[in-house]
Amino acid sequence: MDISDNGPNPNAFDIESATTENANYRRVAWTGKHLQVTLMSIEPGAAIGLEVHHGTDQFLRIDAGKGRVKMGPSKDDLSFQQDVEDGWSIQVPAGTWHDVENTGDEPLRLYAIYAPTHHAQGIVQETAQDAERDEEQGRDEPPSWVEEVDDKGEESA
């Protein structure tokens, strides 16, 4: 499915098909002024990566595969752990350390909704290493026209 992030304009697409067909680590599907939709694919044995967004709430929904979500108040205290699979949702409050690991034998396909907007409009990152590089080099920043940006920052473990 071809997805084009048309910015803060009206948009509609089959999110389940787009999610299950997405083979990229992260693909920004739509960027609004206050929230953003991304598609993700995590390979077997891999993880999103332990991180915290200090000013961003997240909603994630699994559309294919199996995983385990870990969350907690610090990177050393991930006291919330839950096995998840197709149909499950995950809610990550701002300021919560979190990770999702693929525990299955097929790619874990999910979408994430960030509020406020967190990534560059329309960015496609094939691998987690691409995503990390883009962030380090300043290429993964929200567009200037968004009205609300997480100015409290992010950390990775």
Side-chain angles (χ1 to χ4, degrees):
M1 173 174 278
D2 187 29
I3 300 290
S4 178
D5 184 349
N6 66 340
N9 298 298
N11 195 7
F13 63 95
D14 180 342
I15 195 165
E16 186 171 2
S17 292
T19 301
T20 58
E21 292 173 15
N22 174 55
N24 295 294
Y25 171 76
R26 182 183 301 121
R27 177 183 200 94
V28 175
W30 184 80
T31 303
K33 292 181 181 182
H34 302 278
L35 68 84
Q36 190 168 56
V37 179
T38 66
L39 312 176
M40 298 190 77
S41 180
I42 310 303
E43 292 300 313
I48 289 175
L50 185 60
E51 63 183 0
V52 62
H53 304 284
H54 294 289
T56 302
D57 289 322
Q58 285 181 275
F59 170 93
L60 298 88
R61 185 181 190 282
I62 310 296
D63 274 341
K66 295 180 182 180
R68 182 160 187 84
V69 61
K70 300 176 181 182
M71 292 188 274
S74 73
K75 61 184 171 186
D76 299 318
D77 179 7
L78 303 175
S79 52
F80 179 92
Q81 297 195 18
Q82 176 68 53
D83 290 328
V84 293
E85 60 184 279
D86 184 8
W88 280 71
S89 69
I90 302 165
Q91 293 77 49
V92 183
T96 302
W97 283 88
H98 59 282
D99 196 3
V100 180
E101 300 172 342
N102 183 339
T103 59
D105 55 5
E106 64 182 82
L108 179 64
R109 304 285 169 93
L110 61 113
Y111 64 84
I113 299 173
Y114 296 87
T117 298
H118 192 74
H119 295 287
Q121 179 184 3
I123 196 165
V124 177
Q125 297 155 323
E126 289 187 28
T127 67
Q129 293 78 18
D130 292 341
E132 187 174 316
R133 183 197 65 235
D134 287 347
E135 192 166 309
E136 288 173 359
Q137 294 178 355
R139 289 194 301 252
D140 192 12
E141 296 296 323
S144 61
W145 46 260
V146 297
E147 293 181 3
E148 187 177 6
V149 176
D150 177 2
D151 59 3
K152 294 180 180 178
E154 166 186 354
E155 294 178 62
S156 297

